[in-house]
Amino acid sequence: MKIKFLFHGLLVIGMAFSCKSSQQDKEDEYNSNVMKTVKYPEKGDMLLLTDRPPQLETPLKILRQDFTPNEYFFVRWHLAMIPKVIDAEAFRLEITGPSVNKTISLSLNDLKTKFTPYSIVALAECAGNSRSFFKPRVAGGQWCNGAMGNAKWTGVKVKDILEMAGIKDNAVDVAFDGLDEAPLPSVPDFVKSLGIKHAMDGEVMIAYQMNGKDIPMLNGYPLKLVVPGWFATYWVGALHKIEVLDHPFDGFWMKKAYTIADNPQYNENPKDLAKKTVPVTTLALHSIFVEPEPDTKMAVGKPYDMEGLAFDGGKGITKVDISLDNGSTWTHATLDPELGKYAWRRWRYTWTPAKAGKYTLKVKATNAAGETQAAEQWNRSGYARNVIEQMDVTVN
Ligand SMILES: Nc1nc2c(c(=O)[nH]1)N[C@H]1C(S)=C(S)[C@@H](COP(=O)(O)O)O[C@H]1N2
Ligand SMILES: [Mo]
């Protein structure tokens, strides 16, 4: 019998500087410059946003690799009652609902032996990643850039599983439910949905492995829905039930939470909020600095290896430009090989500063559709950040 436990004992092990530069913090006392680092079961040292439910951020330096190690992959649950014990033999995934021909129940062993395994490299990014950079500041977890991670996911296509249950012609939406529960009846259970066509597209999958290993408990062991190119809010962890519906799904987590201004740039005016909102879906085109970090000191005449990440919802990053003069002129960064169209793409640029002074560096990505990043963006929830980022550095 294989039983996996999570001892939910929080251990604060230290302090780390957050992504905010000291200058920004002087201007803005809402945000502290120091975050606690914590150690949870199966995880390395992570930055703590909240404990119940666990919300843990990946330290920026971990993002200097193609794949985010499972131990450092960010953690984000909404409900305080998260699964702490899973019996891998007793666990079943149920596929049911008014639009399946028959309800089926699959063990982990069934998933691993009765279907053709499928793998994809894809970036999981929380819709609220980088939220702390929005000005004016918005409510919600004050994530820096570490609410994302890139992994190779292995499991079964949702299409193959739904075909085993048999889909009726009247199927409209597919709802995905995790084992986590709300502590109060007034808080809705975490359930997300996809349209039937999307669920059946042959890319949406259920992962039983992440980077070739079991998924850590805190990341949704034993099964996680993977929706390549869509924000991680859809990637339901500890997935145990799939319902195929003959009507549109209208649960709280689709209709009320994770909705955003209905325009391509997810933009609205703080003084005149958008009237119409829609569920946030595909990843926004974005690029960030991983190196340097805020307040880095550089030396005249000494080459400095800059690097970072660029990503979008699957059209693919084709170009990353760097500015060393606050956006007046731009030059190409070098791109690492593509890891997959839904993965992030790493970029590099070596800069040898010629003169002392204060510099504002910028980074801007372009994708295969010719889309590029915006100069400004704001929305009330701090979702889908896609603005051109800047980094202030000092050269001595
Ligand atoms: N069951 C369940 N799945 C969930 C959530 C949740 O609260 N419960 N949160 C979602 C959100 S908003 C994000 S960003 C990702 C985070 O996945 P991770 O904890 O593995 O990083 O899980 C998604 N899947
Ligand atoms: Mo999220």
Side-chain angles (χ1 to χ4, degrees), residues 135-379:
K135 280 183 176 167
R137 199 174 284 282
V138 294
Q142 296 300 305
W143 300 103
C144 297
N145 288 320
M148 65 172 168
N150 195 50
K152 182 180 175 190
W153 308 94
T154 301
V156 182
K157 293 177 180 182
V158 166
K159 175 177 188 283
D160 293 348
I161 293 174
L162 294 189
E163 275 170 0
M164 184 181 267
I167 299 302
K168 294 185 185 160
D169 288 345
N170 65 1
V172 175
D173 275 350
V174 185
F176 299 88
D177 189 3
L179 286 168
D180 47 339
E181 285 172 5
L184 301 167
S186 56
V187 181
D189 191 14
F190 191 85
V191 185
K192 299 292 289 191
S193 70
L194 299 174
I196 182 73
K197 264 213 183 112
H198 187 187
M200 295 286 286
D201 73 356
E203 287 185 328
V204 175
M205 65 170 296
I206 294 167
Y208 47 71
Q209 276 190 346
M210 168 176 181
N211 294 322
K213 286 175 276 184
D214 281 356
I215 298 168
M217 280 292 272
L218 281 169
N219 294 104
Y221 178 85
L223 299 176
K224 193 174 185 78
L225 184 71
V226 172
V227 188
W230 278 36
F231 279 111
T233 178
Y234 292 91
W235 300 36
V236 176
L239 176 70
H240 79 120
K241 192 166 135 195
I242 302 179
E243 255 187 298
V244 186
L245 304 171
D246 57 6
H247 55 271
F249 176 77
D250 65 355
F252 172 85
W253 296 99
M254 288 300 294
K255 282 282 145 19
K256 292 274 186 297
Y258 288 99
T259 57
I260 195 164
D262 185 15
N263 62 65
Q265 210 219 321
Y266 305 129
N267 207 6
E268 63 186 336
N269 183 333
K271 297 200 181 87
D272 180 21
L273 296 181
K275 305 277 175 300
K276 186 162 186 262
T277 58
V278 291
V280 63
T281 56
T282 41
L283 295 197
L285 172 63
H286 197 204
S287 57
I288 62 158
F289 289 94
V290 172
E291 185 70 58
E293 297 190 24
D295 287 338
T296 295
K297 307 260 184 297
M298 300 182 183
V300 172
K302 193 167 168 247
Y304 189 91
D305 292 330
M306 306 187 347
E307 69 165 276
L309 301 165
F311 42 89
D312 74 346
K315 287 170 184 157
I317 300 300
T318 48
K319 190 169 73 147
V320 170
D321 291 310
I322 304 295
S323 175
L324 306 164
D325 54 11
N326 197 13
S328 299
T329 60
W330 295 87
T331 166
H332 297 330
T334 315
L335 298 181
D336 274 13
E338 198 186 69
L339 299 164
K341 63 179 184 158
Y342 297 111
W344 62 29
R345 188 115 191 225
R346 297 176 67 194
W347 62 260
R348 295 162 199 280
Y349 186 81
T350 301
W351 181 38
T352 309
K355 247 175 54 194
K358 288 201 180 304
Y359 291 82
T360 297
L361 316 179
K362 292 194 168 181
V363 59
K364 177 172 73 176
T366 305
N367 70 11
E371 295 158 352
T372 189
Q373 294 179 233
E376 281 179 44
Q377 174 209 32
W378 186 90
N379 58 65

Side-chain angles (χ1 to χ4, degrees), residues 111-123:
L111 288 167
K112 290 175 184 173
T113 56
K114 293 190 176 160
F115 299 88
T116 312
Y118 178 70
S119 290
I120 195 166
V121 177
L123 171 65

Side-chain angles (χ1 to χ4, degrees), residues 76 126-135 137-144 258 381-383 385:
R76 201 277 182 255
C126 178
N129 192 29
S130 319
R131 175 182 287 132
S132 64
F133 302 116
F134 278 85
K135 280 183 176 167
R137 199 174 284 282
V138 294
Q142 296 300 305
W143 300 103
C144 297
Y258 288 99
S381 306
Y383 285 152
R385 187 168 170 87

